[in-house]
Amino acid sequence: MVIDLKRCIGCYGCQLSCKAEHGTPPGVFFARLLKQEEGHYPTVRQLFLPVLCFHCDEPACVEVCPTGASSKAPDGIVDIDPDECVGCRACMMACPYSQRYFLDEERHYFPGNGATPYEQARSERHPSGVVMKCNFCRHRISVGKEPACVANCPAVARHFGDLDDPTSTVSRLIKERGGYTLHPELGTGPAVYYLPA
Amino acid sequence: MEAVPPISGIGTGRDDCWIPSACSLCYGTCSILAHRVDGVLVKLEGNPESAAGKGRLCGKGVSGLMTHYDPNRVRVPLRRTNPKKGMGVDPGWKEISWEEALDEVARRLKKLRGEDPRKLFIQRTTTVTSSRTPIQVFAAAFGTPNRSSAGGGLHCGNGAHLISGIMHASWSVVPDFQYCNYAVYFGASKGHSAGHASCSNMGLAAEARARGMKMVVVDPMCNFAAAKATEWVPIRVGTDAALALAMGNVMVNELGIYDAPYLRAKTNAPYLIGPDKLYARDPESGKPLVWDLGAAAPRPYDAVSSEAMALEGEFPVNGVLCRPAFELLKNHLKNFTPEWAERITTIPAADVHRLGSEFAREARVGSTIVIDGVTVPYRPVAAIAFRGSQGHVNSVYNFLAVDLLNQLVGSADMAGGCLGFNPACHGYPETGRPYFVPKAGPDGLMITGIWMAHHNPYPIGEPRMPEQIGLQDLFVLCQTSPFSDSSDREEMWDKLDLPYRPEILLNYGTNSLMSIGNKETVAGALAQFKFVISIDLFLTESSDFADIVLPDCDYLESLDSRPNFPFIFNLPGGLGEWCWPIKQPAIQPDGEQRRSSDILVELADRIGMREDLNAAFNVVLKLEGPFRLEGERKYSYEEVCDAELKNNFGAQHGLEWFKKNGVIKWPKKPEEVYWRHFVDTRVPIYWEFLPVLREKIAALAEPRGIKIPQRYYEPLPDWIPCPAHVTNGAFDLYAFYYRDIIHTNSFTMENPWLDEAARLDPYSYTIAINAGTGRKKGLVDGEEIWVETDAGRRVKGKVHLTEAVHPEGVGIAACAGHWGEGMPIAKGKGVFFNDLLEVDYDHASPVNLNLDLCVKVKVSKARGVGR
Amino acid sequence: MAIASGRYEQLIQDLRAEYRPQREWIERQGLFLIVGHFLSGVAAGTWFFSLLFGFAPGLAAAYVLAAVSGLAHLVFLGRPERFWKMWRARNSWIARGFIGLTLFMLGGLLYLPPLFHPDAPWSGDSWIARSGYAISVAGMVILLLYKGFVYASSKGIPFWTSPILPALYVAYALRGGVATLLLMFAWGGNTVSPERLGPLELWIGLSAAVMVLFYLGVMSGADPVARRSVYELVRGRAAVPFYLGTLVVGLVIPIAFGLAGVTGSLSLATLALVALASVVGDFFIKYTIAKAGIYIPLRPRSPR
């Protein structure tokens, strides 16, 4: 995936369309938007930084998983098998990008009122006691759609494609605009690149 | 009227469909696709078929599910049992049936209509664009001129919409993102927040940014637009006019850069002005005169070709020396030097000078471009203003000074320049509808082709002794008035002999107790109504004053034929596609909620005003021929929508067609987008009508003790300070609010997804103060502080020390700080800025009555516990 | 109105902060994990010294400690019923630890019965018992080593990703073993001279102290996140347990008494108290290191 920080306007569309697609419980954000101001008055800029699981080439989470529940698929997606996870949360400690979430209680968005029909329709996707995270919307890409965050971005700041194909949009953008990853010194090899603001 | 009609598909086997409709989390009304599976709405996405949003949604739009499924929604009609009304006083709600509710409401309204229909005051929320026509029609049929869009209209519109209307024939302005190279934003966020073409603009602005458009954002706060700006120009709150006027001075007087042919042909710059500040007029026709350089004589403006008109000089007309308006403007601008501007705005003089020069040079005066085979002038600069700059006592001049920059270089509605939102439309090719194009009116000045309110911005109305409670028939340049709620309304009504007093309030969706100004003042106004009917999604703070609450269907349960019309309001401007979407229900309400449009139609029938209602629909919707509503026939709102769609797009494109297809679209033509080049009409760079207007208003008002200050009614824009700009001891900071991308007015804090995102945001719910200023005052980031005015009004909140705000600024986002129980997620979140605002004539523009939204404050640590 | 609980409120505050502490391995069920880590380390150390000094009751104690540690781990897991799946991914240190515990329990099951029951179905020098011995030692070695590596492979928490940490955990495990033995001697009468254990305790205590100081020193000079963790330890959320539990009770007291023991003799009771302090300190070093764990902040100071 490529995220163009020049285009991103911090509208939270990615964070919320992801939440709407997956129905994640409170406090769980498969995609998130961070804001950081840079500089000193009056030379100030705001950096809007959307983050999500980076589906690394050398995923630190997969290395530490004792059951193999976290694994890297042939298509590159790092996914968690919710039936195999024992909930040891070592992966949460291992992920240098803090993109994994764990709940051992039921949480609803209207406390005291139980789950809304929407939350009920989505709850089975989020069993408690196991770790969960972004999976690049596998259910969407398998039918030819883009991940929800990519398809929804109003600033058209997100692109999804094959990094191994040098002619793909993502590959070209990385080359032309100098795409970079976060914390490359950790050697995780993220598959999500940022284009400079 | 029956309950909401069933939606086909439910219960008939596997239910899994995507329904094209329209969002209503903000008035942008981007098009959506609502995904329903087995009777549950599970996703909202943009509709890629539609130009409104272009298939994408912002954070608010995708979160509509959580507003829809909010268990705190009102589900049954309610009636108060406690006769005492007050803030926080329990109304003692009792559930009643629809029959009982409608019967009582209709009875009271019918009686009132028989006495004096003007005693009905109707308020509607700007957020739901679909409410506009039903409310407008109902009010017209009922016979009341008293309408308001509460805070949304009062804070935002009187300046921006008035001047965008007069100067651009549109509701608002936006850069031509496709071609603009240099955009200067004054207190605006177009393309970086919500707004008229919300998501579409986000895409267009991002594309422009990627293309290399330079965006200069003049704003006390560096968030949203300023955050992405090529250059953020921090400005002292409310001083936009000073900067704009100084830039104009640099352009015109120092660099000598301005578009003379444009000024001659498209503005009243060449009109001759006498020593009385008014047009020199032709004695026979009364038309304004220009100096014909060829004939060396004064001639009516429409009898001379524009190339021959003088822009400068002094010329005798019947022995009186007159000057072209441009000459006056040019000299007037000399007063506003960059050094002067620095003192007022705190922007360094060198920067003021540079901005003026850059704007002038980037304008490429004289150049053209060919678009789709059509040659149009190419002026790739735009000066954009919106809520921020016009939300002051100096509302008119602040906004006008900014737009003047466009007029001076001829970039108004030209390629790359400052565009109105769709001022001209030639219509759907097969039917030629809707058709509207600006045209020349009195004195050759532009009349809009279409408008949103009942009264066009130009020609200026005739002031008279008011019969509207907002006094808009006296202060004719005002659209939404503070006098329905102000602390001095009784005094004004008495002085101006208002022949009645409002008795019944019909509120659609507004939370005016929060949206207008300080709550004590508005509470006093609300308490005086004898009866208040409120159509709402939730019980709000204002509901404490309602007698009957009617549960509204939300947008996912409602139907409307024109969520994005008029096109001047919320369809994307610039080239691309015309697009007419509809709003249709994606799901049934789960309680007894009914659609507000249906409620209004039902009430009209019960009141016995069906004939008037049909007639009003015919006028507003411009229904003709077989689609005209007849006599007293009881059309349902759905039938009316069907009629409108067929009327505009042909008999085969009725409601059923639209329900299946969602939108109808056709390509825009350069002649429509860059209409100004093709239409012979002028706009005023010299507002000659202002002193004329003042005379008329003063004649009525001043004998009754209401001052109409001349300073604000001069024909040329000026810098006039707000009350806040006076030095005031310990009160040394300017508090202001700004639009937050994650919130709409006071509505979205109840949405738990949006609330959660806001709680994570560094600015959303905090009070932003410059880090340096805060440290000097001994403030610690994150601590609770009081923000207090010298009138003793104060609000409390968590301070966020940041580099991203002007050292004198106190920035508070949106209209938060709920205290009511009806919206429990929203309760206690954020800061209620409006509580700092006075609502009275002294704190409004004397010209358009826009409320003054900047306040002088002091901040202090809040010791102690609780709110 | 808050969603669900104070936990959610806490999470929101955490997500807003630049430095977000880990809470999964320390709060609520996370405490059981720390207990489990602590107990398994002590169990392995006790097994080691019990074998060294030929002290059978110590072996039994070690076995029980290991079993309890296993239970504690189960309580911690989100899905304890699936614990057996942890043998699978053998590149993971947790899986290795699980295998280690399994081996230890299995080995002990084979090795121990003949030591305590002369009527056991197999004798102390049968191949069953001998393989049990070998298996249990293998398990013991894994148990001694694996925890530090589990922490060290947590790439998300710079404070833990130091090679010193495994060494530290081994040292503490050994210390825990010595301390347990001392406690058992004091309780049940001695068969080994305390003079041998005392200096040992002192030596391990001192080396542990050195390691702790070295570790903190390294972490203070390293990246800002690790520095932040050190801050948590010495001035922040973990400060009280760090000073009281880890330093005073866990290091100062044992070292002080150990020094006294070198110069003069100490009563068994005193040694037992020292041992108890040492054991408490063992728990608290693990507790405070876990509590002070701070995630790498995602919000970059400036990415480019």
Side-chain angles (χ1 to χ4, degrees):
Chain A
M1 189 177 291
V2 165
I3 300 179
D4 190 343
L5 298 183
K6 197 180 195 62
R7 294 189 142 217
C8 174
I9 53 169
C11 75
Y12 288 97
C14 48
Q15 175 172 320
L16 292 164
S17 61
C18 169
K19 187 165 275 287
E21 180 74 29
H22 297 277
T24 48
V28 176
F29 306 97
F30 291 174
R32 258 194 80 193
L33 176 72
L34 305 178
K35 274 194 189 175
Q36 177 80 22
E37 65 186 51
E38 303 177 319
H40 290 281
Y41 181 84
T43 320
V44 180
R45 285 205 81 180
Q46 292 277 4
L47 178 68
F48 301 131
L49 185 74
V51 296
L52 69 169
C53 168
F54 292 152
H55 297 275
C56 304
D57 279 338
E58 309 288 332
C61 52
V62 170
E63 271 172 48
V64 300
C65 177
T67 65
S70 286
S71 61
K72 190 163 174 79
D75 60 3
I77 293 181
V78 175
D79 209 348
I80 307 176
D81 186 341
D83 295 325
E84 298 297 304
C85 176
V86 288
C88 73
R89 295 159 254 167
C91 53
M92 292 176 69
M93 304 299 152
C95 176
Y97 308 110
S98 305
Q99 293 304 316
R100 284 167 166 260
Y101 297 86
F102 176 85
L103 276 184
D104 54 11
E105 60 176 6
E106 265 201 33
R107 275 190 205 145
H108 302 124
Y109 271 102
F110 295 100
N113 293 93
T116 57
Y118 167 79
E119 285 168 306
Q120 279 168 38
R122 287 286 174 267
S123 62
E124 71 211 14
R125 297 190 188 183
H126 309 292
S128 64
V130 297
V131 176
M132 39 187 165
K133 69 172 196 68
C134 158
N135 68 350
F136 269 176
C137 284
R138 190 175 245 138
H139 62 290
R140 286 178 63 104
I141 61 182
S142 63
V143 293
K145 292 188 185 180
E146 291 179 315
C149 56
V150 175
N152 184 75
C153 177
V156 196
R158 298 171 84 109
H159 303 271
F160 184 75
D162 186 354
L163 286 174
D164 289 333
D165 174 5
T167 64
S168 67
T169 310
V170 290
S171 301
R172 280 190 301 104
L173 281 170
I174 293 168
K175 186 145 168 283
E176 285 162 19
R177 298 268 311 271
Y180 61 91
T181 60
L182 291 193
H183 294 299
E185 71 278 5
L186 295 172
T188 45
V192 174
Y193 286 76
Y194 291 93
L195 305 179
Chain B
M1 178 183 87
E2 46 176 70
V4 181
I7 299 167
S8 65
I10 294 182
T12 59
R14 176 97 172 112
D15 172 32
D16 186 345
C17 47
W18 291 84
I19 297 124
S21 184
C23 181
S24 289
L25 268 292
C26 87
Y27 59 71
T29 323
C30 302
S31 300
I32 66 171
L33 289 171
H35 192 194
R36 187 185 71 231
V37 175
D38 293 336
V40 179
L41 284 176
V42 292
K43 188 86 196 295
L44 299 172
E45 297 186 2
N47 183 351
E49 289 299 304
S50 170
K54 301 212 177 99
R56 290 143 192 276
L57 292 176
C58 73
K60 300 188 293 294
V62 297
S63 303
L65 296 173
M66 277 293 136
T67 296
H68 172 72
Y69 282 118
D70 190 329
N72 299 291
R73 279 181 62 188
V74 188
R75 285 187 157 68
V76 287
L78 301 171
R79 205 205 184 289
R80 77 162 42 235
T81 55
N82 179 3
K84 191 161 166 295
K85 288 182 181 177
M87 268 193 294
V89 175
D90 184 4
W93 294 119
K94 183 182 83 169
E95 295 186 359
I96 57 174
S97 69
W98 271 103
E99 184 52 42
E100 202 184 321
L102 291 172
D103 181 64
E104 177 169 7
V105 172
R107 234 188 329 107
R108 287 179 181 264
L109 287 179
K110 186 169 183 171
K111 180 160 175 287
L112 193 74
R113 190 172 186 239
E115 290 166 12
D116 186 344
R118 299 173 303 182
K119 294 181 179 179
L120 173 65
F121 178 48
I122 305 185
Q123 239 173 207
R124 73 166 194 101
T125 172
T126 52
T127 303
V128 183
T129 53
S130 300
S131 66
R132 197 184 68 84
T133 300
I135 295 273
Q136 187 181 11
V137 163
F138 185 90
F142 192 89
T144 176
N146 295 314
R147 284 166 19 203
S148 161
S149 33
L154 181 62
H155 289 204
C156 203
N158 288 323
H161 306 319
L162 170 76
I163 298 162
S164 299
I166 291 180
M167 309 300 280
H168 292 269
S170 179
W171 200 245
S172 191
V173 292
V174 71
D176 185 5
F177 284 117
Q178 268 178 285
Y179 293 103
C180 185
N181 290 337
Y182 189 90
V184 186
Y185 282 47
F186 291 78
S189 276
K190 292 285 196 303
H192 303 88
S193 191
H196 295 102
S198 195
C199 292
S200 322
N201 271 348
M202 292 177 189
L204 289 169
E207 191 61 44
R209 189 164 47 251
R211 177 176 58 80
M213 178 184 93
K214 179 166 177 181
M215 191 170 67
V216 174
V217 178
V218 180
D219 201 304
M221 180 98 192
C222 181
N223 205 351
F224 306 121
K228 307 301 297 187
T230 325
E231 180 181 351
W232 171 46
V233 178
I235 188 173
R236 176 178 279 148
V237 175
T239 59
D240 306 66
L243 173 63
L245 290 167
M247 284 171 67
N249 182 20
V250 169
M251 275 165 40
V252 169
N253 288 311
E254 189 188 318
L255 300 174
I257 296 179
Y258 49 89
D259 191 336
Y262 172 88
L263 289 164
R264 284 195 187 95
K266 304 293 184 184
T267 76
N268 68 353
Y271 288 16
L272 292 169
I273 311 294
D276 59 354
K277 297 183 194 165
L278 304 181
Y279 295 142
R281 290 183 181 271
D282 179 50
E284 281 147 31
S285 61
K287 292 182 185 169
L289 295 167
V290 299
W291 187 261
D292 185 340
L293 287 164
R299 290 260 163 80
Y301 69 90
D302 56 354
V304 186
S305 83
S306 61
E307 300 89 58
M309 297 181 188
L311 279 182
E312 295 176 77
E314 212 174 28
F315 308 102
V317 178
N318 289 333
V320 180
L321 278 179
C322 298
R323 295 162 173 215
F326 182 73
E327 165 94 19
L328 294 175
L329 173 63
K330 197 159 175 284
N331 288 335
H332 176 72
L333 286 175
K334 286 190 182 133
N335 294 312
F336 309 111
T337 64
E339 291 71 24
W340 166 88
E342 174 170 357
R343 285 195 300 279
I344 308 279
T345 65
T346 74
I347 300 170
D351 287 337
V352 174
H353 188 271
R354 176 176 53 80
L355 291 172
S357 314
E358 281 173 1
F359 190 85
R361 282 188 239 280
E362 290 289 339
R364 311 219 194 153
V365 174
S367 54
T368 59
I369 189 174
V370 179
I371 297 174
D372 290 349
V374 178
T375 306
V376 292
Y378 179 59
R379 303 282 182 277
V381 296
I384 304 294
F386 197 18
R387 206 301 272 144
S389 42
Q390 57 93 71
H392 299 282
V393 179
N394 195 31
S395 176
V396 173
Y397 291 157
N398 273 355
F399 197 96
L400 189 54
V402 173
D403 195 55
L404 206 56
L405 298 172
N406 300 311
Q407 303 297 336
L408 285 170
V409 299
S411 72
D413 300 282
M414 300 297 183
C418 171
L419 303 180
F421 280 88
N422 307 305
C425 177
H426 295 173
Y428 182 59
E430 282 172 32
T431 60
R433 290 201 190 97
Y435 181 93
F436 53 91
V437 179
K439 60 179 195 280
D443 296 340
L445 297 181
M446 183 168 71
I447 298 182
T448 71
I450 189 169
W451 198 234
M452 298 282 286
H454 53 286
H455 188 247
N456 279 1
Y458 185 85
I460 311 295
E462 278 300 308
R464 60 167 191 196
M465 285 302 285
E467 292 183 20
Q468 294 182 39
I469 63 172
L471 313 178
Q472 293 102 322
D473 38 1
L474 174 63
F475 294 95
V476 292
L477 289 180
C478 168
Q479 292 194 98
T480 304
S481 164
F483 292 124
S484 45
D485 302 272
S486 66
S487 53
D488 56 357
R489 69 192 182 284
E490 287 287 351
E491 190 190 321
M492 297 293 272
W493 291 341
D494 283 336
K495 284 182 175 163
L496 293 166
D497 297 327
L498 189 73
Y500 64 93
R501 293 292 178 274
E503 284 184 17
I504 296 186
L505 169 65
L506 175 59
N507 178 52
Y508 176 65
T510 85
N511 188 357
S512 54
L513 188 60
M514 287 190 76
S515 71
I516 287 182
N518 76 79
K519 56 187 185 298
E520 280 75 34
T521 301
V522 182
L526 287 174
Q528 295 202 306
F529 282 101
K530 292 195 178 144
F531 200 76
V532 175
I533 309 134
S534 198
I535 305 174
D536 272 311
L537 291 178
F538 302 97
L539 288 176
T540 68
E541 287 73 7
S542 302
S543 305
D544 284 346
F545 295 90
D547 289 277
I548 286 188
V549 173
L550 301 174
D552 191 18
C553 281
D554 68 20
Y555 69 104
L556 295 163
E557 301 156 343
S558 298
L559 182 118
D560 184 38
S561 55
R562 44 159 54 188
N564 295 81
F565 192 79
F567 292 149
I568 59 170
F569 183 68
N570 59 359
L571 198 71
L575 289 165
E577 290 179 315
W578 294 109
C579 178
W580 183 296
I582 66 156
K583 176 190 285 188
Q584 63 171 314
I587 196 161
Q588 299 268 54
D590 65 349
E592 291 182 43
Q593 299 97 322
R594 293 193 184 179
R595 299 177 193 158
S596 57
S597 47
D598 293 339
I599 298 173
L600 290 172
V601 168
E602 169 76 17
L603 282 174
D605 281 334
R606 287 178 185 237
I607 292 170
M609 49 186 233
R610 170 54 84 164
E611 194 171 359
D612 295 313
L613 193 79
N614 287 350
F617 269 126
N618 285 334
V619 167
V620 172
L621 302 180
K622 296 196 169 68
L623 300 175
E624 292 168 19
F627 309 114
R628 234 174 136 68
L629 306 186
E630 289 162 7
E632 291 182 332
R633 203 172 121 194
K634 289 193 186 335
Y635 302 89
S636 68
Y637 190 69
E638 287 215 17
E639 289 172 311
V640 175
C641 291
D642 184 49
E644 171 174 33
L645 294 169
K646 288 175 174 160
N647 182 65
N648 283 338
F649 303 109
Q652 73 277 30
H653 294 126
L655 190 57
E656 286 316 302
W657 186 94
F658 272 90
K659 278 183 173 176
K660 264 201 289 290
N661 296 279
V663 309
I664 201 168
K665 36 182 202 176
W666 67 101
K668 287 183 178 176
K669 301 185 291 203
E671 295 90 334
E672 289 167 311
V673 177
Y674 306 116
W675 56 273
R676 199 185 287 264
H677 182 60
F678 301 95
V679 174
D680 185 16
T681 182
R682 296 165 182 277
V683 293
I685 53 110
Y686 181 93
W687 281 32
E688 186 256 9
F689 46 77
L690 269 188
V692 174
L693 180 62
R694 189 200 163 265
E695 291 277 319
K696 294 178 184 168
I697 300 178
L700 295 168
E702 290 202 332
R704 291 175 168 84
I706 298 168
K707 286 251 170 291
I708 311 292
Q710 183 159 355
R711 236 191 125 177
Y712 291 86
Y713 282 85
E714 298 291 341
L716 290 170
D718 198 356
W719 155 251
I720 305 174
C722 295
H725 292 116
V726 175
T727 317
N728 194 354
F731 298 90
D732 57 346
L733 302 176
Y734 297 87
F736 62 95
Y737 76 83
Y738 61 95
R739 172 173 293 177
D740 190 335
I741 205 167
I742 202 83
H743 282 307
T744 299
N745 305 341
S746 67
F747 166 42
T748 48
M749 299 81 189
E750 172 61 17
N751 183 311
W753 285 357
L754 296 172
D755 171 59
E756 187 180 50
R759 298 184 67 201
L760 294 172
D761 188 281
Y763 304 100
S764 248
Y765 284 154
T766 60
I767 300 174
I769 292 186
N770 180 280
T773 306
R775 276 194 292 271
K776 276 200 217 99
K777 293 183 184 291
L779 299 180
V780 173
D781 189 49
E783 73 170 316
E784 292 248 308
I785 63 167
W786 284 111
V787 177
E788 188 174 342
T789 72
D790 64 359
R793 301 198 190 278
R794 55 184 201 162
V795 295
K796 185 155 74 158
K798 282 198 163 60
V799 70
H800 179 54
L801 296 182
T802 167
E803 303 289 332
V805 68
H806 189 277
E808 295 169 351
V810 177
I812 295 172
C815 182
H818 284 264
W819 65 90
E821 305 293 339
M823 295 167 76
I825 305 290
K827 183 178 173 185
K829 306 283 171 63
V831 181
F832 181 32
F833 172 86
N834 285 351
D835 217 13
L836 299 170
L837 296 175
E838 304 301 326
V839 189
D840 57 31
Y841 184 53
D842 287 335
H843 293 86
S845 158
V847 182
N848 65 15
L849 300 180
N850 204 81
L851 209 61
D852 185 17
L853 300 171
C854 64
V855 203
K856 210 64 176 294
V857 298
K858 71 174 181 191
V859 297
S860 56
K861 289 171 182 284
R863 288 173 232 281
V865 184
R867 274 187 183 269
Chain C
M1 196 162 126
I3 289 176
S5 60
R7 277 176 61 190
Y8 176 74
E9 296 300 314
Q10 181 64 262
L11 175 66
I12 297 289
Q13 294 312 311
D14 284 349
L15 290 173
R16 284 178 66 91
E18 184 177 1
Y19 292 114
R20 179 181 153 204
Q22 72 84 15
R23 297 185 191 272
E24 296 295 335
W25 282 5
I26 192 78
E27 292 184 5
R28 292 178 315 278
Q29 261 85 343
L31 195 58
F32 284 97
L33 182 71
I34 307 299
V35 169
H37 279 170
F38 157 67
L39 287 178
S40 73
V42 171
T46 307
W47 190 264
F48 175 74
F49 283 109
S50 299
L51 287 176
L52 201 62
F53 294 126
F55 183 51
L59 293 173
Y63 196 82
V64 169
L65 286 171
V68 175
S69 139
L71 278 172
H73 277 92
L74 279 182
V75 174
F76 158 73
L77 285 179
R79 287 302 175 98
E81 73 276 11
R82 296 177 183 170
F83 74 92
W84 53 272
K85 295 191 194 233
M86 285 199 289
W87 69 274
R88 286 212 194 121
R90 264 151 290 183
N91 50 300
S92 146
W93 279 103
I94 293 179
R96 291 169 187 172
F98 174 70
I99 290 168
L101 183 64
T102 311
L103 288 175
F104 183 81
M105 302 301 284
L106 218 76
L109 206 61
L110 299 178
Y111 177 64
L112 284 178
L115 290 182
F116 293 96
H117 291 285
D119 313 318
W122 60 91
S123 75
D125 41 60
S126 64
W127 70 269
I128 296 176
R130 273 207 284 269
S131 15
Y133 173 83
I135 294 172
S136 73
V137 167
M140 175 203 81
V141 169
I142 294 177
L143 285 179
L144 272 175
L145 291 174
Y146 93 96
K147 279 174 311 311
F149 284 106
V150 166
Y151 280 88
S153 57
S154 300
K155 256 188 175 142
I157 303 199
F159 186 53
W160 296 349
T161 53
S162 162
I164 302 175
L165 214 55
L168 193 68
Y169 274 64
V170 170
Y172 266 91
L174 291 175
R175 219 172 75 116
V178 172
T180 310
L181 286 186
L182 270 174
L183 270 172
M184 295 186 74
F185 290 164
W187 200 6
N190 61 325
T191 51
V192 180
S193 59
E195 287 81 35
R196 286 172 71 189
L197 280 175
L200 198 57
E201 165 73 29
L202 175 68
W203 179 81
I204 296 178
L206 274 173
S207 48
V210 165
M211 262 188 270
V212 169
L213 286 168
F214 188 53
Y215 177 60
L216 290 183
V218 166
M219 282 297 144
S220 302
D223 79 44
V225 193
R227 267 208 308 278
R228 175 71 192 204
S229 285
V230 175
Y231 171 89
E232 292 290 324
L233 268 185
V234 301
R235 288 172 63 190
R237 296 156 41 249
V240 169
F242 178 68
Y243 287 120
L244 283 181
T246 312
L247 286 188
V248 171
V249 172
L251 285 175
V252 169
I253 290 180
I255 291 173
F257 278 99
L259 281 171
V262 162
T263 53
S265 187
L266 290 174
S267 74
L268 205 52
T270 317
L271 273 172
L273 228 61
V274 166
L276 192 62
S278 175
V279 162
V280 168
D282 185 358
F283 173 77
F284 273 102
I285 186 71
K286 300 201 163 99
Y287 178 85
T288 49
I289 286 181
K291 196 167 176 80
I294 304 273
Y295 289 108
I296 298 177
L298 256 182
R299 227 183 311 238
R301 277 280 141 201
S302 74
R304 257 289 158 102

